[in-house]
Amino acid sequence: MSQSVYQEIGGHSAVEAVVTDFYDHVLSDEQLVPYFEGMDMQELRAHQIKFISAVAGGPVEYTGADMREAHDHLDIDEPDFDAVGEHLENALRTNGVDDDNVEAIMAEVVALKDPILGR
């Protein structure tokens, strides 16, 4: 049996590092920071660790709300979705995730674009 992307990238500690870098960049992006005002960032980081772990094939069952439901109130537009995706991809690469695994994780994220944008 081949290793999951989760195992290949280094497991939980690697995902935590990616999520930390991801939010450091997102929260310093003036275009995106308004979406996070008033949010419990500790809870959001924990949620994102579970999400990335799940899409990477880790031993985590993602139990978050439906993507459309979870993001509907934010009225996210396409350029902002794309900017978040760029920050995630950069965080993955910065933390040594190889191209194949970056592509696999980003494909899962891109598949959520329409529900997150309410389409």
Side-chain angles (χ1 to χ4, degrees):
M1 177 186 228
S2 65
Q3 285 192 326
S4 69
V5 171
Y6 179 82
Q7 291 167 320
E8 288 181 20
I9 67 174
H12 186 78
S13 61
V15 173
E16 279 186 330
V18 166
V19 170
T20 295
D21 284 355
F22 166 70
Y23 277 121
D24 285 351
H25 288 97
V26 165
L27 294 174
S28 64
D29 186 328
E30 291 180 17
Q31 173 185 343
L32 301 176
V33 77
Y35 289 111
F36 298 91
E37 289 174 0
M39 300 290 268
D40 180 340
M41 290 309 299
Q42 187 173 352
E43 181 180 316
L44 199 53
R45 285 176 193 265
H47 186 74
Q48 190 71 11
I49 289 167
K50 287 180 184 175
F51 172 73
I52 297 295
S53 296
V55 300
V60 175
E61 186 174 332
Y62 178 74
T63 58
D66 170 79
M67 285 297 162
R68 183 179 310 250
E69 204 176 289
H71 295 89
D72 192 47
H73 70 286
L74 297 171
D75 197 27
I76 297 170
D77 60 25
E78 193 157 353
D80 292 342
F81 178 92
D82 293 343
V84 168
E86 288 176 28
H87 287 304
L88 178 57
E89 184 173 344
N90 290 336
L92 290 163
R93 293 188 189 284
T94 297
N95 284 278
V97 178
D98 69 33
D99 289 343
D100 289 344
N101 289 329
V102 168
E103 289 175 22
I105 291 168
M106 293 308 298
E108 294 288 333
V109 172
V110 169
L112 299 171
K113 187 173 195 170
D114 284 347
I116 288 173
L117 296 180
R119 303 193 285 215

